[in-house]
Amino acid sequence: MSIPGPVAPRSGQLALELGHEPSHAEHDFIIGEGNRLAHAHILGFASWPGPLTLIEGPASAGKSHLARIWSELTRAGYATPETAEELSRLGGTQPLVVEDADRAGYDEAALFHLLNQSMRDRRPLLLTAREPVANWPFATNDLKSRARLAAHFGVSLSDDIQLSQMFVKLFDDRQVAVDPRIIAYLVARMERSAEEAVALVELMDRAALERGTAITRAIANEALQQRGATRDEGQMELALDWGADDDE
């Protein structure tokens, strides 16, 4: 009687949306030169000289992570476009987070009143935005003039080490183990942004699930091609001594 061997995964298998929750714990925040000052300011909340702080940076650069850390430290609530006006009328000094102030659809008057109330009653308010205040989509300068009074901190990815660490965290959030050489391969060739790293991890994880394999260099290369971000191979080729099996 023969014993059947293992069944190979079928190519083209549909990837299931299992869902994953990125960790916003303080110990999981990746600190680099591009966010060190913002991180220190968040942790030093008790000595803030004024009630307003603005954290500005591109998508997926860590703004929401810093906001979550601050909300845990201060027991802050979250304002939304639907609640901003009411929160300003109710007043109080409970700390508040206003995320995506420049793009979440806040009513200009409601956000203006909320910033005014924060300044009047010294209510700690943490705002996040992708664009500089000058580019916020509001008709008058009243709101922008208030926002310019905030302590302002930019966040960005500053070096290869920080970008590599971000890949490790993104894969860890999905409970996926990846060869460090694949991360080095990606960092050397990708468009250098946190948003791009998030998109690449999504593509690679989905491709690996569909094929029933680990994430390989071939999958990494396909993801780079899909994102249109492969750099000049003649200039960027790494000395990675991988066998042919690594690409399968």
Side-chain angles (χ1 to χ4, degrees), residues 29-224:
F29 187 77
I30 300 168
I31 302 172
E33 291 307 312
N35 60 27
R36 193 179 304 278
L37 290 177
H39 180 254
H41 181 73
I42 291 297
L43 295 187
F45 159 71
S47 59
W48 281 13
L52 300 180
T53 287
L54 169 63
I55 296 179
E56 175 197 317
S60 302
K63 302 184 300 297
S64 291
H65 197 156
L66 285 171
R68 184 71 62 84
I69 292 170
W70 187 73
S71 72
E72 291 290 333
L73 288 173
T74 64
R75 300 184 181 276
Y78 276 73
T80 68
E82 294 73 31
T83 63
E85 181 67 40
E86 182 182 7
L87 286 168
S88 70
R89 288 199 308 269
L90 292 175
T93 58
Q94 180 197 12
L96 287 176
V97 175
V98 176
E99 287 214 81
D100 295 323
D102 58 332
R103 55 191 300 275
Y106 283 93
D107 177 77
E108 182 169 354
L111 192 53
F112 172 76
H113 292 152
L114 188 59
L115 265 64
N116 262 356
Q117 188 267 320
S118 169
M119 296 170 64
R120 182 182 68 246
D121 300 336
R122 295 196 62 80
R123 175 185 216 161
L125 195 67
L126 175 64
L127 303 104
T128 71
R130 292 189 188 182
E131 294 290 331
V133 173
N135 296 339
W136 287 12
F138 299 111
T140 69
N141 198 47
D142 292 341
L143 172 58
K144 295 179 183 180
S145 67
R146 300 300 188 278
R148 289 189 183 98
L149 297 175
H152 176 233
F153 295 87
V155 291
S156 64
L157 287 177
S158 57
D159 53 38
D160 287 357
I161 293 175
Q162 190 182 1
L163 190 55
S164 298
Q165 290 173 335
M166 182 177 182
F167 270 116
V168 171
K169 180 187 181 299
L170 289 170
F171 283 122
D172 188 61
D173 286 340
R174 293 169 178 263
Q175 300 182 0
V176 174
V178 176
D179 189 323
R181 294 175 297 178
I182 291 175
I183 293 177
Y185 182 86
L186 290 163
V187 169
R189 291 160 173 78
M190 65 181 285
E191 176 188 316
R192 307 186 64 76
S193 73
E195 189 173 21
E196 187 68 12
V198 171
L200 287 167
V201 168
E202 170 68 28
L203 285 172
M204 289 183 289
D205 190 27
R206 177 174 290 277
L209 284 171
E210 288 175 349
R211 300 172 195 183
T213 71
I215 293 176
T216 64
R217 187 173 60 167
I219 287 176
N221 185 58
E222 288 173 16
L224 286 166

